[in-house]
Amino acid sequence: DLATYPRTVEADCALLESLGANIAFTPTVEQIYPYPDTRQFDFTPLDKVMEGPMRPGHFNGVAQVVSRLFDIAQPNKAYFGEKDYQQIAVIRRMVDDLGFRVEIVACPVIRETSGLAMSSRNTLLTQEEKCIVPNIYRILTESKSLGLNIQETQDWVQKQINNISGLEVEYYSIVDGDTLADINDWADSKSVVGCITVYCGKTPIRLIDHIRYK
């Protein structure tokens, strides 16, 4: 996953410069990790659901990387996009566990005009794939007005997306927005979020998104 992740350092630096930045911190692996990071984190139950089973070790890696960044930068605030909804929950837990004095600020998802959540992964999509992926958010949005129960809503979303050639749902979970625990009834939580991962194309490209039901 890391090996295929888009790297656009020159474009990133140009954007930073246009916004008034004077310095970009782009260290080598050896500078950040002079020796292997063997730390093991346990964020149960946050890292044991949804992305956790699908990507073993992923959130441990997130904690290693982000904690290392916080150690170096000592920020007062750190901003993370809500598109990676589960990741923010894990990072907040890590901040509490390790005693970092940093405020984690969740930034709303920014979408393309088609409704597709903006992501560096989108650059990997072909033009044909870019025409079908907006259906993910369209179907999620439509599911809010169906009046179905939790299980029926999950089933409907998965069926609708899987019926579109080129798209395949890996999972769709409707959970408590704070604990990420599965819920059985809309009344079980004051914050209800639907989190989804969809594979697109023959490569395939793995896309994540979410929607708030309340």
Side-chain angles (χ1 to χ4, degrees), residues 37-123:
D37 190 341
T38 59
R39 291 175 297 162
Q40 294 294 314
F41 296 87
D42 183 3
F43 302 116
T44 303
L46 298 177
D47 59 344
K48 302 298 186 290
V49 297
M50 298 189 297
E51 291 291 287
M54 304 300 176
R55 305 171 75 185
H58 171 67
F59 289 120
N60 197 79
V62 167
Q64 289 176 335
V65 171
V66 176
S67 63
R68 188 76 177 96
L69 175 63
F70 288 175
D71 280 334
I72 295 168
Q74 294 292 305
N76 300 109
K77 294 184 179 182
Y79 298 79
F80 293 88
E82 275 193 336
K83 185 179 75 66
D84 296 300
Y85 193 87
Q86 186 176 6
Q87 178 173 278
I88 294 179
V90 168
I91 289 173
R92 284 192 169 125
R93 172 76 172 274
M94 181 204 72
V95 165
D96 289 340
D97 288 353
L98 298 184
F100 283 111
R101 295 182 178 180
V102 55
E103 178 186 350
I104 303 301
V105 182
C107 303
V109 177
I110 299 176
R111 299 185 179 277
E112 298 181 9
T113 54
S114 65
L116 176 64
M118 286 190 174
S119 168
S120 53
R121 288 179 185 270
N122 295 354
T123 61

Side-chain angles (χ1 to χ4, degrees), residues 1-36:
D1 187 49
L2 180 62
T4 60
Y5 204 84
R7 287 173 170 79
T8 56
V9 176
E10 290 186 7
D12 293 343
C13 287
L15 180 59
L16 288 167
E17 188 174 10
S18 73
L19 295 172
N22 301 110
I23 297 172
F25 183 47
T26 58
T28 65
V29 173
E30 291 72 24
Q31 287 173 312
I32 298 299
Y33 301 106
Y35 48 86

